[in-house]
Amino acid sequence: MIPLLIVAAVLLLLMLLLLAPLKLDVTFQERFSVQVRFLFFRFPLTQNEEPEQEEQPAGKAPKDPKDSSDPGLAVKLKGLLHREGLRGFLQSLREVAQSVESASKKILKKVRLHKFDLYICLAGKNDAAEAAILYGQVCGAVYTASGILFGVFPCRKKSVTVDLDYQNEEHRIEFSGTASIRMLYLLVEGLILLYRVLPFFKKLQTIKDQKERISQARKQDETK
């Protein structure tokens, strides 16, 4: 009885995790800030500070990213083109593109927009007439785009404001938004996409293995 209760508790926990939403928070105030939230975990996707460059040891030349025995993606694609011909190569790319497009559409249908707050303040101190023209153009573009966006992703907490300040010399943009999708949808569509594109990556892996065998054969011939 106890093992069954443990299994049931684990399955219930997994179901709750899969049904929990994965949230994306985006803010912009002079710089972008993007973070992903899942339950009580937060994962920032942007860095405020530039990463420090690693110091190279004295007397050692910096490593050239092109100097690698692992063939790059371009080399693999060329090898696939040479092996399957143009028609087969384009057919493989078309299948991958269709799979990605299908998965993207299904995922976007499951996205929920919870918050959208956009504030644009145009500066009109330098040239009032030009600022007024710009204000009309920005209003038309922003409100039209917002109407299309909210038609696809309904949002309860939404605010879009375009303002004109004749006392400022610089434009100002502030934005904050939150969207979410359940982990279950991401997992299912991710597995379906992986299953569909796996044959293509297997072909690329075959090209890589062939390149490595040819390279090793050449090195053995040189050592003889």
Side-chain angles (χ1 to χ4, degrees):
M1 187 64 181
I2 295 179
L4 292 177
L5 291 176
I6 295 176
V7 172
V10 172
L11 292 177
L12 180 60
L13 178 61
L14 290 176
M15 183 58 64
L16 291 176
L17 291 176
L18 291 176
L19 292 178
L22 183 71
K23 294 185 178 181
L24 178 68
D25 295 329
V26 181
T27 59
F28 177 79
Q29 289 182 349
E30 296 183 356
R31 65 177 59 187
F32 270 107
S33 175
V34 183
Q35 70 172 357
V36 175
R37 289 186 293 146
F38 182 68
L39 299 177
F40 50 85
F41 299 101
R42 295 176 181 268
F43 306 96
L45 302 182
T46 54
Q47 296 180 355
N48 295 329
E49 298 180 357
E50 296 183 357
E52 298 181 357
Q53 296 183 354
E54 296 182 358
E55 296 182 358
Q56 295 290 339
K60 184 177 181 180
K63 184 179 180 180
D64 188 359
K66 296 182 180 180
D67 185 15
S68 177
S69 58
D70 185 18
L73 179 60
V75 176
K76 297 177 184 178
L77 292 176
K78 288 181 180 179
L80 184 62
L81 174 61
H82 178 73
R83 194 181 70 173
E84 295 196 352
L86 181 59
R87 180 175 298 180
F89 178 75
L90 293 178
Q91 179 64 27
S92 298
L93 290 182
R94 187 180 299 110
E95 292 174 355
V96 172
Q98 290 175 349
S99 299
V100 173
E101 180 184 9
S102 176
S104 300
K105 289 181 178 179
K106 291 180 180 179
I107 289 175
L108 287 176
K109 289 181 180 179
K110 301 299 182 180
V111 173
R112 297 293 178 264
L113 190 60
H114 300 281
K115 178 185 176 183
F116 188 94
D117 188 358
L118 175 63
Y119 178 74
I120 301 176
C121 184
L122 301 176
K125 186 175 182 179
N126 295 329
D127 192 333
E130 183 179 354
I133 296 174
L134 179 62
Y135 175 76
Q137 294 174 346
V138 172
C139 283
V142 170
Y143 289 122
T144 300
S146 300
I148 296 174
L149 176 65
F150 297 141
V152 179
F153 303 104
C155 180
R156 293 182 179 180
K157 297 181 180 179
K158 57 181 180 291
S159 175
V160 179
T161 304
V162 180
D163 199 2
L164 177 59
D165 191 348
Y166 290 103
Q167 303 299 323
N168 288 337
E169 296 182 355
E170 295 183 358
H171 305 311
R172 183 161 56 95
I173 300 177
E174 296 180 359
F175 173 77
S176 63
T178 302
S180 70
I181 184 173
R182 296 189 186 278
M183 283 293 297
L184 179 62
Y185 301 141
L186 280 178
L187 181 61
V188 171
E189 294 301 329
L191 291 176
I192 294 175
L193 178 61
L194 179 62
Y195 175 77
R196 291 180 176 177
V197 303
L198 192 59
F200 179 77
F201 287 102
K202 283 184 177 180
K203 294 178 182 179
L204 294 182
Q205 183 64 34
T206 302
I207 298 297
K208 176 184 176 182
D209 294 339
Q210 291 177 351
K211 294 286 185 181
E212 290 179 351
R213 286 196 296 268
I214 294 174
S215 178
Q216 292 177 358
R218 289 179 177 175
K219 289 181 179 179
Q220 291 178 358
D221 293 339
E222 291 176 356
T223 56
K224 290 182 180 180

